[in-house]
Amino acid sequence: MKIVSRIKLPIETEMELFEKKFSASMSSKVSLLNRITHYVVNRKGKQMRPMFVFLIAKMTGNGQVNERTYRGASVIELIHTATLVHDDVVDDSDRRRGFFSINALWKNKIAVLVGDYLLSKGLLLSIDNDDFDLLKIISVAVREMSEGELLQIEKARRLDITEEIYFEIIRQKTATLIAACCAMGARSVMAPDEEVEKMRKFGELIGTAFQIKDDLFDYGNEHIGKPTGIDIKEQKMTLPLIFTLNNSNSEEKKWLINSVKNHNKNKQRVKEVITLVKETGGLDYAVAKMKEYQQQALQLLETYPESVYKESLVLMVNYVIDRKK
């Protein structure tokens, strides 16, 4: 059995019902909008985020979920989908998960409006049901994701990212949404505040490990969807590159910055940057950091009694860093 199917096993029924509720939460009186949202729903990814919501809810709620859990998972997925639609416009990307993106098929204006619609649907789903505690969790995540994206853009222009700033960017850009999923799961079943915070921290650790793994893919892996060196071409300062910069002499540093800034479209130069990063131990350092976050996340689960939900979460933590794409 595939690893994702094994993770999903204890929440299979909930995930099936969630898909129906999620589709219903997107409905509109505008047929064009329904056509686009139907396209979105039928091209869903692995749905890791709602899986986190249900697994955490069941682990912290004695195996129970409720309508708030379904709404929480729907809100997360609506807002996550909205951010992806907007990201494709910002990045001028015409592909998403191997399919044409909304902006490629319906142009930017419609894509931006669809993203706005999904965002408002997510917020109203919480407001209409008085889930203000859940709304606060997701609103903080949306604010942080925007800040993280803008901080990365600002730093990419000057290429002055320290390791500390790098971790702040990925905490906001990637980890904060997974942290929101985990906090949402615990909060939906009325877990106490300290437990909600513990689960939020768990999600943040996993999200950070997930992003470091993504950064490592830039240095070569035969299974992944993105070409090697794409982050360098986009002038993204990732952990292996930051480590190499911090551990290079002034001449190498100058060459590296010049390569990323002015020669990032030169395939041979990008290849040379990748080789230097590998030789200076940038990849080994990033792998060690990723495993640190993985271990910290697993430690937070140790206090919970054994259950199929905890087992799936452990599998999920390990899958995040063992995945091939």
Side-chain angles (χ1 to χ4, degrees):
M1 191 189 286
K2 277 187 173 175
I3 184 80
V4 176
S5 304
R6 278 173 62 200
I7 293 167
K8 208 184 266 193
L9 211 54
I11 50 164
E12 223 160 20
T13 313
E14 287 79 7
M15 287 300 289
E16 278 173 26
L17 183 53
F18 160 74
E19 285 192 25
K20 291 183 184 127
K21 287 175 183 281
F22 179 58
S23 294
S25 71
M26 281 193 181
S27 67
S28 153
K29 290 175 184 152
V30 180
S31 58
L32 170 64
L33 198 45
N34 285 334
R35 209 157 62 238
I36 297 170
T37 54
H38 180 73
Y39 179 82
V40 170
V41 169
N42 286 341
R43 279 147 194 83
K44 61 183 182 291
K46 295 187 188 79
Q47 294 188 306
M48 303 298 269
R49 286 158 191 84
M51 282 160 67
F52 270 121
V53 176
F54 288 113
L55 287 169
I56 297 279
K58 288 203 143 199
M59 184 180 75
T60 57
N62 298 316
Q64 300 300 309
V65 297
N66 53 40
E67 279 306 311
R68 270 165 56 86
T69 315
Y70 285 102
R71 288 198 296 271
S74 291
V75 167
I76 288 277
E77 199 67 349
L78 280 163
I79 286 173
H80 174 56
T81 309
T83 62
L84 295 183
V85 172
H86 283 161
D87 278 353
D88 287 340
V89 175
V90 170
D91 298 337
D92 202 16
S93 174
D94 59 3
R95 291 266 164 184
R96 169 67 62 184
R97 297 179 183 134
F99 297 98
F100 283 116
S101 59
I102 291 178
N103 50 301
L105 292 172
W106 285 282
K107 305 297 174 211
N108 283 352
K109 185 176 181 179
I110 286 177
V112 170
L113 292 168
V114 168
D116 291 347
Y117 173 77
L118 295 173
L119 188 64
S120 65
K121 272 289 202 182
L123 300 177
L124 283 166
L125 186 59
S126 295
I127 292 165
D128 292 345
N129 292 282
D130 293 341
D131 296 330
F132 296 110
D133 50 349
L134 304 186
L135 181 61
K136 186 175 181 182
I137 290 169
I138 194 63
S139 298
V140 168
V142 172
R143 184 197 70 205
E144 294 210 314
M145 284 156 71
S146 308
E147 284 179 350
E149 199 69 61
L150 287 162
L151 180 59
Q152 185 173 49
I153 291 167
E154 180 194 319
K155 293 296 174 184
R157 286 176 178 163
R158 291 169 25 208
L159 294 186
D160 61 347
I161 294 187
T162 60
E163 195 173 306
E164 194 184 345
I165 290 171
Y166 164 81
F167 278 111
E168 182 57 15
I169 288 171
I170 68 169
R171 184 191 69 75
Q172 291 185 317
K173 265 190 68 180
T174 305
T176 194
L177 191 61
I178 296 175
C181 295
C182 298
M184 194 83 93
R187 175 64 76 201
S188 74
V189 291
M190 302 305 189
D193 288 352
E194 60 272 20
E195 193 166 23
V196 173
E197 175 51 28
K198 187 178 176 180
M199 290 299 94
R200 189 203 65 75
K201 186 66 188 165
F202 168 77
E204 194 176 274
L205 291 164
I206 291 300
T208 305
F210 180 93
Q211 188 56 54
I212 298 172
K213 179 69 173 183
D214 250 23
D215 291 351
L216 286 163
F217 284 143
D218 204 44
Y219 293 87
N221 182 309
E222 68 280 13
H223 300 288
I224 55 159
K226 74 172 184 180
T228 306
I230 199 86
D231 287 339
I232 296 165
K233 289 186 186 88
E234 291 175 2
Q235 298 189 13
K236 283 182 186 162
M237 299 291 281
T238 57
L239 190 57
L241 189 57
I242 292 165
F243 176 84
T244 301
L245 272 169
N246 290 342
N247 291 275
S248 299
N249 60 41
S250 57
E251 208 174 296
E252 285 171 334
K253 202 179 246 186
K254 211 170 154 186
W255 178 86
L256 265 172
I257 289 172
N258 186 30
S259 300
V260 176
K261 219 168 190 172
N262 304 314
H263 303 280
N264 51 52
K265 304 285 188 282
N266 179 329
K267 282 185 181 174
Q268 185 52 39
R269 192 76 170 249
V270 169
K271 213 178 260 184
E272 286 168 20
V273 170
I274 289 170
T275 303
L276 181 63
V277 169
K278 286 177 178 173
E279 285 171 356
T280 51
L283 295 194
D284 295 339
Y285 178 76
V287 167
K289 275 284 180 192
M290 176 179 72
K291 288 185 173 170
E292 264 178 47
Y293 282 97
Q294 176 203 23
Q295 289 311 312
Q296 285 175 40
L298 290 171
Q299 277 166 14
L300 288 179
L301 292 179
E302 278 173 11
T303 52
Y304 288 91
E306 293 307 312
S307 69
V308 285
Y309 316 114
K310 177 181 168 179
E311 213 174 289
S312 276
L313 284 164
V314 170
L315 273 178
M316 185 91 100
V317 172
N318 295 328
Y319 168 71
V320 159
I321 73 159
D322 295 333
R323 66 201 165 98
K324 298 287 181 268
K325 61 180 179 178

